[in-house]
Amino acid sequence: MNLDLRVFTAILWKDLLIEVRAKEVLAPVATFALLMVLVFNFGFEIDTGRGRDVAPAALWLAFILGGLLGFGRAFQLEREQGALDAMLLAPVDRSTVYLAKLAVNVIILLGVEVILVPAFGLLFDLPVLRPGVLLTLALGTIGYASLGTLYASGMANLRSREVALPLLVLPAMIPLVIAVVEATAEAMGVSPDSGRPWWALILAFDAVFVVLSAALFGSLVKDT
Amino acid sequence: MDNLGYLFVAFALAWALIFGYMLILGGRLSRISRDLDRDDHEDSEESQ
Amino acid sequence: MIESLSDRIHAALLSPRLRQAAIVAAALAMLATLFGAFIYAPADAIEGDVQRIFYIHVPMAWVAYLAFGIVAASSLMFLWRKQSRWDVLARSSAEVGLIFTTLVLLTGAIWGRPIWGTWWAWDARLTTTLILWVLYAGYLTIRSFVGEEESGARFAAVVGVLGFVDVPIVHMSVTWWRTLHPQPIVVRPLESPSLPNEMLAVMLVGVVAMTLVFVTLLALRYAVGIADERLRLRRRRAYARALLATTRTLEAANG
């Protein structure tokens, strides 16, 4: 691994510019996630006392399912014009390309959260702006995006990508989902403090999958 | 305690699945080998 | 060194003689396990005869982890050496491992019903096994989607490595999560802390027997995979030859 900061910022800047101009990912994903929250409320009645316990899970599920739509979209754009292939022709470090793509996805997903989370807090009168909640959201997003970015890039030219991505990402994400939902619930004060170091688990998940994905990305996209 | 039935079902199920899978694999292997042999045969006819 | 060792591994897996030897050994070891489980080992004082499921249940769980470990190791070898035989081995091991995971879940449910009074409990070990099942079912589904291209095989290899790395994290998270929620009434944990020596001995024979069954199935599945690949390669060559012949005929007709 030989990180190249210039390449990193170039890819990051290019992709964010595309997103700002085309608005193909953030707006639809945020809308979808809000819609999910709405639908969940009809099923679980989060607004009443008895549905309070499932509020953190509903928030994360809405976010995760929305994110799955976003990952596929990001790499499809690359494939359509052969942009990724062209970029990989350049003698740039593969791990840098992956980390730049990861950063783009994290920033876009954080953008989704900026819309989703305050709306969620307002709708259900939950204290979402506590530092514990925000930290959990940020750390969880990194872990989620690490696997999502890697798997989506591996499937970019697969026809059944829409079905295939959740089939791989969701089972692998289960430990992260457990940890972030519990950590969020405890930070919101919805469930009592379990004394479990959930953040340590989230951090470990982030570290393991960011490092491994960066290391394996090169063999994934090689000579495609 | 009479729970011998459960024991029997568990062992039967395990063996049925393992043997069934083995039979399927054996069938696939012999079918592919036959196809390979037939291809060999056709190849040698073609080259004549 | 590594190359000659892996040559030997793959040659051994493909040798029909070794496959036959493995079948015979597995059958003998299984007979010994059956004798041990039904006759030699005493009936459990609390659970009665159903506890004898233990002698195949635990060995199958061990084999499942072994199989998925082989998936990860072969996937790494494939990414490193780029030989398709490693890819075939990874895929074969995942399929056999999934069969054993299915059996672990099924025999566990059948054991749980009379003892716990329920087919399923969301206890840490059961839940981990279920997640393991979903992980590798996903892996095999993807394998059927990506087809036979080399890029698809590389993707599957990456998934095979990451899936195995995920397993301990899954187990830890599920263990922490489970202790938060009310536990079902469990008469006794699956493995009692002090296993009588006879039971332990039979269980170890069972582990040997199941491992031999696994080796038999893996070798068979691997042989199928390799033969399948050879057939496909040959068909592709035949197609290319036919195409070339047609082109020549057309050229001759035009020229």
Side-chain angles (χ1 to χ4, degrees), chain C residues 135-193:
Chain C
L135 263 172
Y136 285 92
Y139 169 84
L140 284 169
T141 315
I142 294 311
R143 298 233 50 159
S144 65
F145 281 170
V146 295
E148 310 300 337
E149 301 143 45
E150 209 230 322
S151 63
R154 276 202 310 265
F155 178 51
V158 168
V159 177
V161 174
L162 290 183
F164 196 64
V165 173
D166 207 19
V167 171
I169 307 178
V170 166
H171 185 76
M172 170 146 286
S173 67
V174 168
T175 308
W176 286 358
W177 165 75
R178 192 59 285 183
T179 46
L180 289 175
H181 298 252
Q183 291 276 358
I185 301 147
V186 176
V187 176
R188 214 180 56 162
L190 284 181
E191 281 133 322
S192 69

Side-chain angles (χ1 to χ4, degrees), chain A residues 34-44:
Chain A
L34 279 172
L35 197 63
M36 290 294 292
V37 169
L38 206 72
V39 174
F40 279 146
N41 193 42
F42 295 128
F44 299 128

Side-chain angles (χ1 to χ4, degrees), chain A residues 22-35:
Chain A
K23 299 176 190 66
E24 288 221 45
V25 183
L26 200 154
V29 169
T31 314
F32 177 81
L34 279 172
L35 197 63

Side-chain angles (χ1 to χ4, degrees), chain A residues 175-188:
Chain A
L176 187 70
V177 173
I178 292 174
V180 293
V181 169
E182 298 293 351
T184 310
E186 284 167 24
M188 280 183 185

